[in-house]
Amino acid sequence: MRYYDKLIFECSKPGRTGYSLSGEWKDASLGLDASLLRADAPLLPQVSEVDVVRHYTNLSQMNFGVDTGFYPLGSCTMKYNPKINEELAALPAFQGLHPLQDPATVKGACAVLEWTDRLLAEITGMKHFTFKPCAGAHGELTGLMILREYHLSRGDLARTKIIVPDSAHGTNPASAAVCGLEIVEVKSNAAGLVDVEDLKPLLGPDIAGIMMTNPNTLGLFEKDIKQIAALVHGCGGLLYYDGANMNPLLGAVRPGDMGFDIMHLNLHKTFSTPHGGGGPGSGPVGVAERLVPFLGVNTSGFHGNFGVIVRSLAYILMLGKQNVRLAGRLATLNANYIKECLRDAYKLPIDSVCKHEFVFDGLIDDGAREGKAGATTLDVAKRLLDFGFHAPTIYFPLLFHQALMIEPTETESLETLDEFVAVMHKIAREAAEDPDILHAAPHNAPISRPDETTAARNPILKIQDEN
Ligand SMILES: *Cc1c(COP(=O)(O)O)cnc(C)c1O
């Protein structure tokens, strides 16, 4: 029997219990007032202790995480999270903090914030950070509000537009729209970089700034960033840096030195906090010196997800300057290694040295023959699950129809990378010979191919009433 085939409620048998209390305890009201006691027993499943243990242990083992296997998701850095981070974040003095506590009693926590601020400022070239935002997207909105406030404070009311590259992460235009800015798209050129010639005519007195990710979502370093910064500053705009892809740049290049004025970091990506499934995150926003007055005071309570900040500080201190830098370099090396190993079987739309991630555009031979549909990127991703790997990001970025975006991160060994490469080659051979093997994948997973749109839009999260 597979314990996860059933809900715990479906395992229920009337009268079965997971405990046995002797007579005098069984009917005890624990001395509670009768008015506080419920009339009917709660509708809990009636199961034995061992059934409960097996049920939940089996469920927990269905979970795939970076602690159980290789997780080459692109865009959202899913790096290994050192366990010392957890130990430190769980210290009672940190865990028991309350945001309304008397400041005199939280000097240690304030020191954590100040120390992390100093280290992040050094890593990024910004002057100061605020830790209030709880995710990257939250940081984007905060940063854009600072950007808008800067213009308004100077009486510059005409700057209502923000430039966003067509390769941007979806949160960029979304945050800008929430902030009330009008989005102007700038195109990528054939090399996958912001097209400077397309940018020039967009600039003018109505431009509040530009949002950029560097390296961009294709994993490519925007080489023209100095020129772009000069152009945007020249027209009176500011540069916002989406720091989600900071990992490969650690210790090598600083957004502040590239000309960016405002940025966020995704501490849960670059600085190793377990995330996924919605949290917890931290998206601190850093600004250049002249924007510090707009940052908001850092002295009140409510500093976002404090535990994530502690983890990030622990991570940076544990690595130290040399190894923070090495992390960025190894992330870059590992991505280029996989790219070069697999380019004989997967289409590489942009042939360039990448940073921490890169994008394939589907299989070179997808097995499509007369009357037979070829294998798609979705099929490749599903087939990977059969071999114990998490699938990479698929169908993002939107620039390619069969996008398959791979980011191995720095902690993976050569052996793990080679195993992944071997499986990807095997899948490519299967596709060429018989794409139906891929169409029917995954063959070994508890759930094969749910209707993902319905599952996302109308999730059934509770047991269905039989009536
Ligand atoms: C993950 C990501 C974001 C959004 O960050 P969240 O913490 O998920 O809100 C923004 N931009 C890029 C490039 C990202 O990869």
Side-chain angles (χ1 to χ4, degrees), residues 316-338:
I316 296 170
L317 294 178
M318 182 193 69
L319 288 185
K321 206 168 189 168
Q322 286 306 318
N323 287 334
V324 162
R325 181 176 193 162
L326 189 60
R329 292 175 161 205
L330 289 178
T332 301
L333 179 65
N334 285 355
N336 279 285
Y337 180 76
I338 294 183

Side-chain angles (χ1 to χ4, degrees), residues 75-77 134-138 140 169 171-172 213 217 242 244-245 264 266 268-269 281-282 396:
S75 182
C76 205
T77 300
C134 292
H138 195 182
E140 288 169 25
H169 192 269
T171 51
N172 289 191
T213 313
T217 62
D242 174 341
N245 290 347
H264 78 263
N266 301 56
H268 47 289
K269 295 182 183 173
S282 176
F396 176 82

